[in-house]
Amino acid sequence: MTGPLHRQDRGQPIRLARSAVATAGAVDSAAQFHRWFAARAAADPTVVTRIDFSDLINWRFHPETGNLVHESGKFFAVEGLRVNTSFGPVPHWSQPIIDQPETGVLGILVKQFDGVLHGLMQAKMEPGNHNTLQLSPTVQATISNYTAVHHGRPVPYLEYFSGARPDVVLADVLQSEQGAWFYCKRNRNMVVEATGPVPVRDGFRWLSLGQLYSLLAYDDLLNMNTRTVLSCLPFSGGRLVEELPSVQGSFRAALVRSLDTEQGALHTSAEILSWVTGLRARREVVATRITLPQVRDWTRRADRIEHDSGAFFDIRAVAVDGGNREVNSWTQPMIAPHGLGVIAFLAARMRGVLHVLVNARSEPGFLDFVELAPTVQCTPDTYDQLPALTRPPFLDDVLGAPPDRIRFDTILSEEGGRFFHARNRYLVIEVDPLPEPDSGPSRYRWMTVAQLVGLTRYSHYVNVQARSLIACLHSLIAAEDDRVETRSSR
C-alpha cells in the first residue's frame, strides 16, 4: 500500500490545482496541439483486421488446458473463471477472463514551464481503439514490453520511472483494472517530475494539465491509462474559489470546496473505510480459476468465443500491421464487448460541498473483493437478456436526466491493448440530495471528492471506471460554466 505524497511539499496539491485551471503558460496552444494530433492520426498506417484463431501467430489453444496462451508464456492468457456469489440476482456463472499477472507501468512525466505543470504525452496506437490513435501516458508498458519479449524496440522514457528518486515522485500506487474482464490485474500508476532537460521524441508532446483536462471533453481522445494516472494526482481547492470569481455559488464552487478535507462530508473517512472493510469481510464473491473448455454457456467458433445468448462480450483475434509501437506487426486475442456502456456519478450539493454517490461493487476479478465504483456502471443492452429485477439502481435516473442537470457527458474508450472497441458514455449528473438506499447491507454512500481522491493514494479502493470519472470531475474545475461542452462525433 502506497501512502501519501512522497514529496515533502505541503503546497503540492494547490500547485497541481492551479496548474489545472491556468489559462496561460502552456508550451503550445490548443490549436497547435490539434493540428499536430490530426497530422499524427493521418500519418498512422495501422490496419487492424479481425482474423480466425487459426491465423494467430505465436498464440495457441494449449493442448492440455485448452487456454488461449502465448508460446513464450508471457503477455497474458485467456482462461476461465467460475463465480459464486451471495449478492445480486445471479448467484453463479462462468466466463472467459484475461489472466495477466504482470504489473505494468503507467507513468506521466511532468515538468514545469512558466510556473505551469505539463505532462509529456504520447499519440499512441492501440489495436482496440476504434479510432486507432489516442493520447497515452509517457510510459505505458507491461513487463513483457519493456523486457522485449517481442524482440521490439526499447520503451522510451522508462528510465525516468524505474528507480525514480522519492523527491520527484508526485504519485505512485498500484491500481486495479476491469474486474469483470481481468483476473487480479494491477498496474503501477506513477507521476514523476523532471528537474532537467527532457528530449521530446517523435510522437510525444508537452501539454499543460489544464489542456489535458480540457481534452476530456472530446470523444475517445484521452485513453484510459491517461485518465487513471491523472486521477491519482492529489488536488486541493485551497483558495481557488476566491481566485476564480466566476464560480461563486455554482456547481463548480461546491466541487472546488469538495477537494479539501472532510469539512461538510456526510460520513467521515474512518466510517467509509469501516464500511468497505465490512463488505470485504463478507466475501460475497468467490471466483475460482478453471480452464477455458470448462466454461459453460460459451461456444468456441472459428473466429470468436461467444456467450450462447449473444450478449456480454466475445473473445476475438486480430492482426495488426503498422503503427508506432515497439514492433510493427503482430496478432493477438482481445475481448470485444457488446454495446455502449454507461458510467455515471450522481452528484449533489450537500452542506455546501459536492458529494458523489459511490457504489461498493463486487467483481470476480478484484483482488480484494470490493472496490468503490460509480453510481451506475453497466451496459444497458445486457439487461435485455436478464430478469427485470436485475436492472441496476439509478440507471433510469441517469438515462432520463434532463440536459440542464448533466455536468459532464463524453464517450471515452477503455484500454485498447486488450479490449476491442470498448467504449463507455461517462456522465456526471447533478441531482437533488437523495437518501442512501438502506435495503440489506447498503452498497451506496455519499462521499466528497476529496474523500474519493484520498483513497486513490492506496491500492484497490477505487475502481478504474471511478478513477476515470475523478479525472472528468477535475476537468470541470476550469470549465467556462457548470458543464463541459462536449466535442463529439455523435
Side-chain angles (χ1 to χ4, degrees), residues 59-75:
W59 292 84
R60 60 172 180 159
F61 290 97
H62 194 279
E64 295 179 5
T65 65
N67 294 336
L68 185 51
V69 299
H70 192 266
E71 290 184 349
S72 68
K74 303 293 185 180
F75 298 106

Side-chain angles (χ1 to χ4, degrees), residues 106-108 137 189-191 225-233:
L106 307 178
I108 295 179
N189 288 231
M190 300 183 71
V191 180
N225 295 323
T226 295
R227 302 190 306 265
T228 181
V229 176
L230 286 176
S231 76
C232 296
L233 286 172

Side-chain angles (χ1 to χ4, degrees), residues 149-189:
V149 171
H150 45 43
H151 306 294
R153 294 179 286 274
V155 175
Y157 301 106
L158 182 65
E159 65 274 15
Y160 287 90
F161 299 89
S162 56
R165 301 193 321 269
D167 63 312
V168 298
V169 176
L170 276 62
D172 186 4
V173 61
L174 290 175
Q175 297 287 16
S176 64
E177 300 214 2
Q178 287 84 350
W181 296 338
F182 277 122
Y183 182 73
C184 296
K185 176 71 169 70
R186 304 190 299 174
N187 275 320
R188 189 175 181 182
N189 288 231

